Amino acid sequence: MLRPIITAIAIATAFAATGAQAATLSQTQHFAGASAQSLFDLYMTASGQEAITGLPASYLTVDGEPVERGEVGDQLLAFCFQPEQCGLHARVLDMEAGDGVYTVVMAWWNFGWVSAADPAVYTVDQRGALDSTLVLTFRDTSTGAQIELVQVNVPDYAVSIPSPDGTVEEGPLSQIVNTHWNTLYWDGVRRQIAN
């Protein structure tokens, strides 16, 4: 189970060399009555992503063909408010599965990257900053399953993100991303488990 972690460390080291300010997020979420495989399957399928978020999502092969289940090399487009306007772009870098433990490593970027209060902090044209690296580990427990999240290189600059309801979310991007994992993903996972 070391290959995904080694991948994440290599990417984090490359990012750190750019000198950009970034944060590392870490969370562990418990889901009673679920299995690691069911949670992994929910996250790694287009229909599961849509069920969790309530918005269109797709996994695409390197050739741009839609597939139901993401594999290494595939791209995830999620939070698609319109067909060509998706708030999350991720690419599956590595995966491992076995013995009740499933791990996926993704290059991960969302529209918050280009919502800096001061665009002078951007380090990458039209993307704001390099992708972060997300490592999700789905693990069986005695009462169900848990998801362990480590996300490195999340930009730490101040952002101002308008919401569809007219409100504006402001603060360090890393703090907003950390909160959104709960409100946009884990709450949705819990709703799906309850169904």
Side-chain angles (χ1 to χ4, degrees), residues 137-191:
T137 303
F138 304 78
R139 188 182 311 273
D140 286 328
T141 67
S142 60
T143 59
Q146 67 185 28
I147 300 174
E148 300 158 7
L149 173 149
V150 176
Q151 188 172 6
V152 298
N153 304 328
V154 179
D156 212 21
Y157 44 72
V159 294
S160 180
I161 303 173
S163 296
D165 66 2
T167 61
V168 177
E169 200 167 4
E170 297 179 324
L173 180 57
S174 58
Q175 181 181 345
I176 291 170
V177 170
N178 196 48
T179 299
H180 283 188
W181 275 107
N182 289 302
T183 57
L184 301 179
Y185 267 101
W186 309 142
D187 290 350
V189 169
R190 286 187 174 85
R191 283 191 300 273

Side-chain angles (χ1 to χ4, degrees), residues 71-94:
E71 298 293 338
V72 172
D74 292 347
Q75 181 179 25
L76 167 64
L77 300 176
F79 298 99
C80 299
F81 302 101
Q82 297 175 13
E84 299 299 319
Q85 186 182 6
C86 298
L88 171 65
H89 296 248
R91 181 162 311 280
V92 181
L93 301 175
D94 203 357

Side-chain angles (χ1 to χ4, degrees), residues 15-176:
F15 185 87
T18 68
Q21 290 195 335
T24 297
L25 311 180
S26 179
Q27 299 182 13
T28 299
Q29 298 289 320
H30 301 273
F31 301 91
S35 70
Q37 181 173 359
S38 68
L39 295 175
F40 179 76
D41 290 344
L42 192 62
Y43 190 83
M44 293 305 299
T45 58
S47 59
Q49 286 281 334
E50 288 186 11
I52 292 168
T53 67
L55 289 167
S58 58
Y59 276 98
L60 304 173
T61 66
V62 294
D63 297 327
E65 295 296 319
V67 291
E68 171 59 12
R69 181 179 196 81
E71 298 293 338
V72 172
D74 292 347
Q75 181 179 25
L76 167 64
L77 300 176
F79 298 99
C80 299
F81 302 101
Q82 297 175 13
E84 299 299 319
Q85 186 182 6
C86 298
L88 171 65
H89 296 248
R91 181 162 311 280
V92 181
L93 301 175
D94 203 357
M95 297 170 63
E96 282 192 9
D99 296 327
V101 179
Y102 302 79
T103 302
V104 61
V105 179
M106 302 179 99
W108 197 94
W109 176 97
N110 78 25
F111 67 91
W113 266 233
V114 291
S115 300
D118 177 7
V121 301
Y122 291 155
T123 58
V124 178
D125 289 342
Q126 299 180 2
R127 291 189 62 79
L130 295 173
D131 294 353
S132 64
T133 302
L134 172 68
V135 180
L136 294 174
T137 303
F138 304 78
R139 188 182 311 273
D140 286 328
T141 67
S142 60
T143 59
Q146 67 185 28
I147 300 174
E148 300 158 7
L149 173 149
V150 176
Q151 188 172 6
V152 298
N153 304 328
V154 179
D156 212 21
Y157 44 72
V159 294
S160 180
I161 303 173
S163 296
D165 66 2
T167 61
V168 177
E169 200 167 4
E170 297 179 324
L173 180 57
S174 58
Q175 181 181 345
I176 291 170

Side-chain angles (χ1 to χ4, degrees), residues 2-11:
L2 290 178
R3 194 177 78 211
I5 301 303
I6 291 169
T7 300
I9 290 169
I11 293 168

